[in-house]
Amino acid sequence: MAVVLGIFMMSCRSKTQYENISLIPLPVKMDVSAGSFTIKPQTPLLFSTHELEGMADYAAELWDAYLGFELRTEKDDGLKGSNTITLALNSRYDEELGEEGYTLRVKKDGIRISGNRPAGVLYGIQTLYQLLSTNSEGKLPLVNIKDYPRFSYRGVHLDVARHFHPMEFIYKMMDQMAMHKLNVFHWHLIDDQGWRLEIKKYPRLTSVGAWRVDMPELHWNARPLVNDPASATYGGYYTQEEVKALVAYAAERNITVIPEIEMPAHVMSALAAYPELSCTGENLGVPPGGVWPITHIYCAGNDETFGFLENVLLEVMELFPSEYIHIGGDEADKTNWKSCPKCQTRIEEEGLNDEEELQSYFITRIEKFLNAQGRQIIGWDEILEGGLAPNATVMSWRGEAGGIEAAKIGNTVVMTPGSHCYFDHYQGDPDLEPLAFGGYTTLAKVYSYEPIPEVLTKEESKLVLGAQANLWTEYISDTRHAEYMYFPRLAALAEVVWSPKNHRDWGDFSRRMEAQYKRYEVQDINYALSAFQVSASPKVNIDDKTLRITLASEVYKPEIRYTLDGSTPDVSSLLYTSPFEINQTTTVKAAVTRNGQLIDQVIEREYYLHKAFAANIEMEHPNSPNYDAHGEYSLVNGIRGSRSYSDGNWKGFSGVDLVATIDLGEETSISHVSVDALQTSGSWIFVPQWVSFEISASGENYELLETVMNTIDVNDSRRLVEVYATRQPAENVRFIRITAKNQGVCPPGHTGEGQPAWLFVSEIVVE
Ligand code: ACM
Ligand code: ZN
C-alpha cells in the first residue's frame, strides 16, 4: 500500500490542474506527468490473450470516433516492441483492483491497459476513450491511472411497461452504461399497462397483455379503464430471441440484466390475459393509464397463481442468467385479498395474522422457488412488510428507511430513494421542462447523494451493494425524452457509485461535465440543458422590507445575464456578479451564456413587494411540516407558487383550513387582497370551498369584506393555480384575516374518497 501511494499522487490533490483531462467518473488514483504519446493509424492494438480479442475490436471501433481511424488489432506475440497499445489480463491477481478495476498507463513509448478480468480492461478502454475526447488527434498526456469501483451494484432502471421502448434504444443504453461504468440494467418489463416479455407457455401475456387502448390526449391519471382488446393499438413486446441477443450484448459490456417480473400487484396486463389469476376473476382489460389504488392483483390463495408464476420464471431464468431476479412487490393494495375466500383460507391454513403477512408468504414462496434454482430475489421495500423473505435484497425507494431496516436485519440493499434517484422527477424549472412526475432532482442533487446512510455501522454498510437510477415512463413516450431524463444526471450517479467518497467535489465535477456534454453530442444523446438554468434564491429582509436575490447555476463558472424590467435577457444584459436587493415589485429574467450565446432556458421570476410583504403573519392551524415552503414569511415573501406543489413556495394543510391573520403594522387603505391556491387532484390537493376576507383596525373586531366562492371543479385533473381575490376597497385597515376553507375530504369518486384533502396556499397579496 505504501508503495502504491508513493508512486501515485492522489487525484484529489492534483485533478483540477489538468484542463485537458475530464474523466467521469473520476478515477481512484491518477498521476500525470510531462510529455505525450500520440496514437497513429499504424499503432498496433495488441491483446495479450484471445479472451480479449473481441474487446480489442470493440476498443478500435470506440476510439475511432475521436481518432478518425480504426486501429489494427492483433495478438501480442511479444515481438512488437514499442509504440503499441496493449490490452492485457494480469497474470497475478491484484487484490486492490478486484473484479472490475484496471490500470491505464500512457507512457512515452506506448499504452497499456490491464485488469484482473475483462471487465477491468473494458473500463480502461472507456477511460482512454474519454482521454481521447479531450485531446485532439490522438495526442495523449502521460498518465498513470489505477481505478476500481466503490460499489459492486451500479444500476440503471428502465420502465418499458408504461411506454414501450424499442430494442435499438436498449442497445444504445447498454453502450451508455458502459461509458458511465454502470453495470446493472434493471429492466422493468411488466406493469399494469403492459406485459413486454414473450413467454412461450402463456402467449396471451403478449397477444393480449402487451396492448392497450391509446389515449394520448388524456393525462395519464385521467384515463378510464377499458376492456376492449379490439381497439388496443398501443404497445409492443420483446421476443425471447431479441432478449437473448440483448443480454449477450450487455454481458460484453460488463452489464448484468436483471428482469423485473412484478408480483403480486402491477400486473393488470397479465390479469387481462388470464383473469382467473385474480381474486375476483373480472376482466378489466389492460389499463390505458394510471390505476390507483392497485387492488386488482394476483390471488394469493389460488395455487394456480403460483404454478403460473413458476412457469413464467422458468422461462425468465432461461433468458436471464443474472443471479438476481426482481420480483417487484410494491404498492399492492390488499382490499381484494380481504374479501377473497381463497386468500382468507390461505391466511387461516398458514397461520398468518393478516394480509401483510399474506404478501410475505407470497414473496417467500417465490423466493424458495427461485433459491432452489440457484437464484436470489430483489424486491421493492414493501417486501419488508409482514416479514422479509430470508435471503431477499431490498431495493429502497420510499426514502432510505427500508434499506436501513433491511441492512439492520442483515439483508443486502440497493439504494434508490425517490429524492435523489428517481429520474422521472423534474431536473429544472417545471415551466421550462417537459411534464414530469413532480419532485425536483437536479444534477447537483443527484451528485450529492450518499448511498450509505450515516446510521449504519461499518458492518451494516457493507450490505449496501450500491445505488440505482430509476426511470418510470408514465409521461415518457419516446426515447429522445427518455435520454433527456437520463442525461446528464446519469453522469452524476456514475460518480456517486464508482468514485471514492472523499473525491466528491461538485466544482470539479461541473468543470468535467463540459467535456461530458461534448461527448453526448458526439454520441447523439439528447441530454438536458437544465443544469444551465439559473436558479434564483430570494431572501426576505424584514428590517428594511427588501428582497435580496441570489442567482446561481449548476454550470461551471456560469456567466449569468439578467434583466429587471421584464425584457428578455441577451448577451449584453446586466452581468450578475453578486446578490442584489429589490424594493418594489420586479420581474427578474435570467439565463446563462455558453460560447458567447445565451442558452435558451430563460427563467422568469416575479417578486411582488406588496403592502403585506414581510408583514407579521399568524396562522390558527399549522401547515404540515412537510410542506412548509420557506417557513414563517412564506405567505408574504413576495413569491407565488408555480403549478408544482413541491416547488418550495406552497404551504400544505392536511384536512384543515388556512386561517391567517396579517398585521400591516399601521392603518392603511387597501384595494385588493388575494390568496393563491393550487389544485393537483392526483396528489389529493384541492382548491378551497371558499375564501373569506375580513378586516379590522384594532385586531379585535373583524368586519367581513367579502367571501369568494370557488368555481373550479374539484374533479378537474389538471394542475391549476387559482387566485381568490377581493377588490372591495377599504380604509383604516391594519389587520386582515383570510380564511380558505379546506374541502375537508377527497370528493366522491376520487381515489382518496373520504380521506383528508390537502389545501395548498401560496402568496397572500395586499394592494
Ligand atoms: C415504485 O416506484 N413503485 C417502486
Ligand atoms: Zn384471492
Side-chain angles (χ1 to χ4, degrees):
M1 195 60 191
V3 176
V4 167
L5 285 174
I7 294 170
F8 300 110
M9 223 182 336
M10 291 300 287
S11 58
C12 52
R13 249 184 281 144
S14 56
K15 63 203 170 195
T16 43
Q17 48 194 96
Y18 309 115
E19 289 292 326
N20 58 343
I21 301 180
S22 289
L23 302 176
I24 292 179
L26 196 67
V28 175
K29 297 167 192 167
M30 178 171 70
D31 177 25
V32 182
S33 46
S36 66
F37 172 76
T38 301
I39 302 177
K40 306 234 169 65
Q42 62 272 22
T43 308
L45 171 52
L46 308 177
F47 45 92
S48 67
T49 142
H50 277 292
E51 204 182 334
L52 293 178
E53 185 167 358
M55 199 73 87
D57 292 340
Y58 169 75
E61 205 177 307
L62 192 70
W63 298 339
D64 187 349
Y66 290 110
L67 287 173
F69 48 80
E70 196 161 320
L71 292 171
R72 196 165 33 84
T73 67
E74 49 190 300
K75 173 85 171 53
D76 187 7
D77 57 8
L79 304 171
K80 295 292 179 313
S82 60
N83 292 321
T84 58
I85 306 172
T86 306
L87 308 181
L89 291 181
N90 296 333
S91 47
R92 241 191 45 225
Y93 194 88
D94 181 333
E95 292 294 338
E96 194 190 0
L97 291 182
E99 295 292 289
E100 297 180 296
Y102 66 93
T103 55
L104 164 60
R105 295 197 182 102
V106 181
K107 302 205 283 187
K108 273 199 175 62
D109 60 352
I111 299 175
R112 185 179 173 87
I113 294 171
S114 63
N116 295 323
R117 302 274 182 255
V121 176
L122 172 81
Y123 291 140
I125 290 169
Q126 301 300 341
T127 298
L128 190 67
Y129 169 85
Q130 294 199 358
L131 288 173
L132 287 167
S133 76
T134 48
N135 294 277
S136 58
E137 300 186 342
K139 186 174 172 198
L140 296 170
L142 303 186
V143 294
N144 194 348
I145 292 172
K146 185 159 195 175
D147 197 15
Y148 46 86
R150 180 175 171 207
F151 291 103
S152 63
Y153 188 115
R154 305 182 300 280
V156 177
H157 153 288
L158 176 63
D159 165 15
V160 293
R162 273 55 178 272
H163 280 100
F164 182 65
H165 290 273
M167 207 47 130
E168 304 84 78
F169 178 63
I170 313 297
Y171 278 91
K172 191 173 180 185
M173 281 304 295
M174 295 307 105
D175 290 340
Q176 282 302 317
M177 284 179 63
M179 285 180 193
H180 289 79
K181 301 188 171 84
L182 298 166
N183 66 348
V184 180
F185 177 51
H186 170 176
W187 208 356
H188 185 79
L189 288 161
I190 283 135
D191 216 300
D192 292 310
Q193 297 83 5
W195 183 288
R196 307 279 175 230
L197 176 65
E198 180 189 27
I199 300 293
K200 306 256 196 216
K201 194 170 173 77
Y202 300 106
R204 286 175 61 80
L205 285 173
T206 43
S207 67
V208 174
W211 304 96
R212 60 175 158 86
V213 177
D214 200 11
M215 298 185 181
E217 69 288 355
L218 291 181
H219 185 279
W220 180 261
N221 290 328
R223 299 177 189 176
L225 285 178
V226 282
N227 178 19
D228 182 11
S231 45
T233 54
Y234 180 87
Y237 65 93
Y238 310 108
T239 66
Q240 295 202 350
E241 286 311 305
E242 286 174 322
V243 166
K244 275 187 219 157
L246 184 276
V247 168
Y249 185 89
E252 285 170 10
R253 281 151 188 74
N254 192 41
I255 296 165
T256 302
V257 184
I258 297 183
E260 181 177 354
I261 307 301
E262 275 270 22
M263 63 189 77
H266 284 287
V267 291
M268 288 177 71
S269 53
L271 297 178
Y274 300 99
E276 65 275 17
L277 300 177
S278 73
C279 291
T280 63
E282 284 170 292
N283 191 342
L284 302 178
V286 180
V291 178
W292 196 261
I294 306 169
T295 54
H296 197 54
I297 65 180
Y298 289 134
C299 178
N302 184 353
D303 280 330
E304 264 184 58
T305 301
F306 293 95
F308 164 82
L309 284 171
E310 288 174 10
N311 287 331
V312 167
L313 288 169
L314 285 172
E315 291 193 34
V316 166
M317 284 184 279
E318 280 293 310
L319 300 170
F320 297 94
S322 60
E323 180 188 1
Y324 289 105
I325 305 289
H326 201 304
I327 49 71
D330 57 324
E331 298 181 321
D333 182 299
K334 284 106 182 170
T335 303
N336 288 0
W337 285 1
K338 289 196 177 112
S339 53
C340 170
K342 285 185 191 154
C343 285
Q344 291 305 312
T345 303
R346 177 84 74 198
I347 287 178
E348 210 165 292
E349 286 179 359
E350 295 292 330
L352 306 172
N353 280 318
D354 55 18
E355 288 71 25
E356 297 304 329
E357 290 193 7
L358 184 57
Q359 157 133 342
S360 173
Y361 163 87
F362 195 118
I363 301 297
T364 303
R365 183 163 164 175
I366 294 293
E367 180 183 68
K368 270 195 204 128
F369 174 77
L370 287 169
N371 285 172
Q373 315 281 330
R375 306 301 181 99
Q376 299 293 333
I377 65 165
I378 299 191
W380 300 108
D381 57 44
E382 285 92 333
I383 65 172
L384 282 153
E385 293 163 8
L388 184 58
N391 308 315
T393 298
V394 169
M395 195 164 260
S396 190
W397 72 281
R398 297 175 301 174
E400 295 189 320
I404 291 166
E405 187 184 336
K408 293 234 173 255
I409 50 181
N411 288 57
T412 46
V413 171
V414 174
M415 285 297 187
T416 177
S419 57
H420 294 77
C421 295
Y422 269 45
F423 286 10
D424 55 339
H425 289 185
Y426 282 106
Q427 57 192 315
D429 181 347
D431 285 342
L432 299 174
E433 297 287 332
L435 179 65
F437 188 78
Y440 196 59
T441 306
T442 65
L443 182 65
K445 186 165 180 190
V446 176
Y447 192 75
S448 74
Y449 185 54
E450 170 48 40
I452 299 199
E454 270 175 24
V455 297
L456 294 186
T457 64
K458 207 165 173 208
E459 280 309 303
E460 290 160 354
S461 300
K462 290 182 189 153
L463 297 169
V464 178
L465 305 177
Q468 173 173 291
N470 291 346
L471 193 64
W472 302 99
T473 60
E474 287 93 337
Y475 302 144
I476 302 169
S477 59
D478 68 84
T479 60
R480 297 302 274 177
H481 187 182
E483 288 177 8
Y484 182 90
M485 302 307 274
Y486 276 131
F487 304 100
R489 289 184 288 186
L490 222 39
L493 185 86
E495 191 142 313
V496 166
V497 290
W498 178 281
S499 306
K501 186 180 172 185
N502 63 4
H503 283 20
R504 209 88 67 78
D505 175 344
W506 166 256
D508 185 59
F509 176 78
S510 71
R511 175 189 69 78
R512 286 178 281 124
M513 277 307 296
E514 295 291 307
Q516 190 77 355
Y517 289 124
K518 291 197 183 113
R519 288 177 203 128
Y520 291 152
E521 278 157 30
V522 168
Q523 295 153 5
D524 188 30
I525 292 292
N526 181 39
Y527 65 93
L529 281 171
S530 314
F532 290 77
Q533 289 172 11
V534 174
S535 64
S537 315
K539 192 163 182 298
V540 176
N541 190 339
I542 308 301
D543 300 335
D544 63 1
K545 302 218 172 205
T546 58
L547 204 51
R548 185 180 174 81
I549 314 281
T550 303
L551 301 180
S553 163
E554 292 187 353
V555 76
Y556 182 59
K557 291 186 182 168
E559 180 184 294
I560 298 175
R561 298 283 173 174
Y562 70 102
T563 64
L564 300 176
D565 60 1
S567 64
T568 304
D570 59 32
V571 290
S572 59
S573 298
L574 293 168
L575 175 67
Y576 177 79
T577 52
S578 60
F580 54 88
E581 255 113 41
I582 57 174
N583 59 10
Q584 59 182 22
T585 294
T586 302
T587 301
V588 177
K589 292 189 181 181
V592 300
T593 64
R594 187 190 197 194
N595 307 327
Q597 304 242 312
L598 202 76
I599 300 249
D600 186 23
Q601 301 258 338
V602 181
I603 62 136
E604 180 175 341
R605 297 285 178 270
E606 275 197 78
Y607 301 107
Y608 302 87
L609 274 67
H610 50 86
K611 276 196 164 154
F613 175 75
N616 193 39
I617 179 167
E618 284 180 12
M619 296 191 306
E620 201 169 304
H621 311 291
N623 55 274
S624 154
N626 294 339
Y627 298 101
D628 190 36
H630 302 282
E632 203 179 348
Y633 289 93
S634 298
L635 296 182
V636 287
N637 68 351
I639 307 163
R640 304 175 93 140
S642 69
R643 287 183 297 133
S644 164
Y645 69 84
S646 57
D647 70 359
N649 295 317
W650 293 99
K651 276 191 183 279
F653 298 81
S654 180
V656 297
D657 306 333
L658 165 78
V659 184
T661 306
I662 290 171
D663 178 358
L664 298 175
E666 58 185 13
E667 289 186 25
T668 180
S669 58
I670 61 168
S671 60
H672 168 111
V673 186
S674 67
V675 61
D676 296 350
L678 183 72
Q679 178 149 302
T680 308
S681 64
S683 301
W684 304 23
I685 299 167
F686 302 94
V687 288
Q689 300 180 39
W690 48 259
V691 178
S692 71
F693 301 93
E694 297 165 281
I695 52 172
S696 170
S698 62
E700 277 156 28
N701 306 312
Y702 281 83
E703 177 193 337
L704 179 67
L705 202 53
E706 189 177 357
T707 298
V708 178
M709 301 307 293
N710 171 52
T711 57
I712 301 289
D713 180 357
V714 289
N715 295 309
D716 192 324
S717 63
R718 291 173 299 169
R719 297 165 177 233
L720 301 168
V721 175
E722 186 66 4
V723 182
Y724 297 84
T726 176
R727 286 178 189 81
Q728 302 282 342
E731 306 284 331
N732 306 334
V733 178
R734 176 166 168 188
F735 298 92
I736 306 175
R737 186 159 66 204
I738 297 109
T739 303
K741 186 72 184 162
N742 193 310
Q743 294 287 344
V745 292
C746 299
H750 186 270
T751 53
E753 178 173 345
Q755 309 252 27
W758 283 99
L759 170 70
F760 270 56
V761 295
S762 176
E763 194 70 1
I764 295 169
V765 175
V766 179
E767 305 282 13

